[in-house]
Amino acid sequence: MNETKELKEIINEKLQNQAQFSGEKINFLQEKIGLFSTKIIVIGILLGYVWYFIQPLL
């Protein structure tokens, strides 16, 4: 009975570690995606301003 309890604890610990690792991976990806989309938005706004000022000259 004692051995199965230890085994269950080990399995639970491994599952928790795996879940934590997956969570960290997801957070890392979300940060990367967030930075990437922010860059795209900033570039888009800058291009919009540039186009706004160049258009009357064309």
Side-chain angles (χ1 to χ4, degrees):
M1 188 67 193
N2 214 8
E3 284 179 20
T4 54
K5 197 171 189 182
E6 283 177 16
L7 201 65
K8 278 183 181 176
E9 283 175 12
I10 290 168
I11 291 169
N12 281 340
E13 207 172 288
K14 281 191 183 286
L15 286 172
Q16 281 176 347
N17 288 345
Q18 189 66 40
Q20 190 179 354
F21 180 69
S22 298
E24 286 171 7
K25 261 184 158 178
I26 289 165
N27 287 343
F28 178 70
L29 286 173
Q30 281 178 335
E31 283 174 23
K32 279 207 151 208
I33 291 166
L35 285 171
F36 188 65
S37 60
T38 304
K39 281 183 190 171
I40 289 174
I41 290 166
V42 168
I43 290 169
I45 290 168
L46 289 174
L47 285 174
Y49 274 119
V50 169
W51 179 247
Y52 180 76
F53 287 116
I54 289 175
Q55 212 173 1
L57 302 174
L58 296 176

